Amino acid sequence: MLIRSLTIEDNEAAVALMLEWEAEKPIVACSGIDAHYLSQLFQLYVLNSAYFAWVAESDGDIVGILAGVVTAGLLNPSDVVAYQHLWYVKPEHRVGTIGPRLLREFERWAKARHANYIAIGANHGFDPERVGAFYAHCGYTEYETHYLKEAGDG
């Protein structure tokens, strides 16, 4: 299993992986994935050093991805925070070390960019106790929870 940075050549496979994630999750957030937009976003991740995107490759196939950004904190610009934007590993590869290895690369990258904090999330549909235990094992504490509602017309 190879863990490496995302390249422009990976763009199509990375978009396909995220479409698999969208099909797997029980609640579709927002309007679904726009593959063209996501392709452009992945190019930004590759070309801009403020962005992070690493993939897990098995037998030439992209089977996992973690992407994020480092930026000034919302309430205090001296707080530099690395935010995970997306993190997905194909179900058949979740039992091994892919997730933790991707996370370690993200943490190394964040520290190299002088991040004071690393913010990691979990998508709806994953076992919160299992995810929470994994994050706690990695040194994270629960910080906040988000809820989503369609704004509608009224």
Side-chain angles (χ1 to χ4, degrees), residues 83-99:
Y83 293 98
Q84 167 237 327
H85 283 168
L86 56 93
W87 188 5
Y88 179 71
V89 176
K90 287 186 175 190
E92 62 270 23
H93 293 278
R94 290 186 190 149
V95 178
T97 62
I98 293 174

Side-chain angles (χ1 to χ4, degrees), residues 88-138:
Y88 179 71
V89 176
K90 287 186 175 190
E92 62 270 23
H93 293 278
R94 290 186 190 149
V95 178
T97 62
I98 293 174
R101 289 173 63 195
L102 286 168
L103 179 58
R104 279 193 300 273
E105 290 302 330
F106 184 61
E107 291 173 340
R108 279 189 203 113
W109 173 85
K111 289 173 187 175
R113 279 148 188 81
H114 309 288
N116 305 87
Y117 301 98
I118 300 169
I120 302 291
N123 292 307
H124 179 78
F126 292 97
D127 180 353
E129 288 184 22
R130 185 173 170 218
V131 170
F134 170 73
Y135 286 157
H137 175 76
C138 295

Side-chain angles (χ1 to χ4, degrees), residues 23-121:
E24 179 185 342
K25 62 190 177 97
I27 293 178
V28 177
C30 306
S31 300
I33 291 176
D34 179 324
H36 178 71
Y37 174 78
L38 188 56
S39 177
Q40 292 176 327
L41 185 61
F42 283 148
Q43 289 179 36
L44 178 66
Y45 283 120
V46 170
L47 299 174
N48 187 324
S49 66
Y51 291 85
F52 172 94
W54 278 55
V55 296
E57 182 181 329
S58 176
D59 297 323
D61 293 327
I62 303 296
V63 298
I65 188 168
L66 194 154
V69 64
V70 67
T71 187
L74 178 65
L75 303 176
N76 186 332
S78 65
D79 287 338
V80 179
V81 183
Y83 293 98
Q84 167 237 327
H85 283 168
L86 56 93
W87 188 5
Y88 179 71
V89 176
K90 287 186 175 190
E92 62 270 23
H93 293 278
R94 290 186 190 149
V95 178
T97 62
I98 293 174
R101 289 173 63 195
L102 286 168
L103 179 58
R104 279 193 300 273
E105 290 302 330
F106 184 61
E107 291 173 340
R108 279 189 203 113
W109 173 85
K111 289 173 187 175
R113 279 148 188 81
H114 309 288
N116 305 87
Y117 301 98
I118 300 169
I120 302 291

